[in-house]
Amino acid sequence: MGNKPENAIVLFNGKDLNGWHARNGGDAGWEVSDGVITVKKGTGDIVTDQKFTDFMLHLEWMEPDMPEATGQAKGNSGVYLQGRYEVQVLDSYGIEVPGMGDCGAIYNQHAPLVNACKPALEWQTYDMVFRGARVDDDGNVVDQARVTIMQNGQIIHNNVEMQGPTGGAMDENVGEPGPLLLQDHGNPIKYRNIWLVELPLKGSDKY
Ligand code: MG
């Protein structure tokens, strides 16, 4: 994971927010400069125009330096897979045993296996392999969504199963493709180098 393949879909072109919109449907309001997107407080979450089912995702982010802040107020943002499952972005550097709200957590469902966080003001990476939920013809979930996540080169989730959408999800239609969403939680997190590779839903039935 980590090196951009030729078939990658580049979600952030480094220049503007073409291909993104605000969660409320208007223009994406975050700031872009020098190949970096910065959360602009109060403009809301931003969402890709494209929707995806199974994919490998790479992105990089940087925490602001907020030495006085603690807990959920310390550099909070989030990466919502399919707009439904939040992978927490937070300044959790140095926390010995990260919990289900700390950086790298599948929010309020799965704590990261280890604390792989770097300090504020250093670029960090997420590489994720995501498999969307599978539903039957009646829309009942037969396989929950799953994800494996590497943060800064360390595995923090090993094929964990979602228990359904996390808080703040865009919808509950887990059998449908969904966009990538980045969360405005009021703190100036920076993002760059965002791309993904769509994966086939299954291999052939041929021996
Ligand atoms: Mg968050």
Side-chain angles (χ1 to χ4, degrees):
M1 296 197 276
N3 293 323
K4 185 170 72 179
E6 283 194 356
N7 62 342
I9 299 171
V10 175
L11 295 174
F12 171 48
N13 62 18
K15 300 186 200 91
D16 56 37
L17 288 172
N18 192 20
W20 296 77
H21 57 273
R23 180 173 180 157
N24 67 14
D27 290 340
W30 295 11
E31 287 169 359
V32 178
S33 68
D34 297 328
V36 174
I37 308 173
T38 305
V39 179
K40 189 170 179 185
K41 182 178 180 175
T43 61
D45 305 336
I46 65 170
V47 180
T48 60
D49 298 340
Q50 285 180 274
K51 296 181 178 183
F52 309 99
T53 299
D54 294 355
F55 53 84
M56 178 179 111
L57 169 70
H58 173 90
L59 62 78
E60 301 172 17
W61 90 97
M62 184 192 285
E63 287 292 322
D65 189 24
M66 301 179 68
E68 308 300 320
T70 58
Q72 295 295 308
K74 195 176 178 75
N76 197 334
S77 181
V79 178
Y80 279 74
L81 308 175
Q82 289 188 329
R84 300 184 185 113
Y85 311 98
E86 182 183 11
V87 181
Q88 178 68 300
V89 170
L90 194 70
D91 184 355
S92 299
Y93 178 71
I95 293 176
E96 197 170 341
V97 182
M100 292 195 296
D102 286 315
C103 191
I106 310 301
Y107 191 76
N108 209 19
Q109 293 191 14
H110 298 285
L113 295 171
V114 295
N115 189 339
C117 293
K118 293 183 178 181
L121 305 181
E122 290 189 25
W123 284 104
Q124 308 197 48
T125 58
Y126 272 150
D127 291 277
M128 313 188 189
V129 179
F130 176 80
R131 184 178 190 270
R134 302 300 199 255
V135 300
D136 64 18
D137 291 343
D138 297 322
N140 302 308
V141 175
V142 293
D143 283 326
Q144 290 281 9
R146 289 179 167 275
V147 71
T148 294
I149 303 180
M150 197 184 275
Q151 180 185 1
N152 302 323
Q154 294 190 63
I155 296 288
I156 61 166
H157 292 291
N158 181 5
N159 192 28
V160 292
E161 189 176 274
M162 310 295 191
Q163 296 150 17
T166 62
M170 293 182 73
D171 65 41
E172 307 267 320
N173 305 326
V174 298
E176 297 178 6
L180 187 70
L181 178 151
L182 300 177
Q183 182 187 48
D184 171 12
H185 206 282
N187 301 143
I189 315 304
K190 295 181 184 300
Y191 289 96
R192 72 177 184 188
N193 201 13
I194 308 169
W195 52 262
L196 65 71
V197 176
E198 288 189 284
L199 302 175
L201 300 190
K202 68 187 288 287
S204 82
D205 295 323
K206 183 179 151 186
Y207 178 67

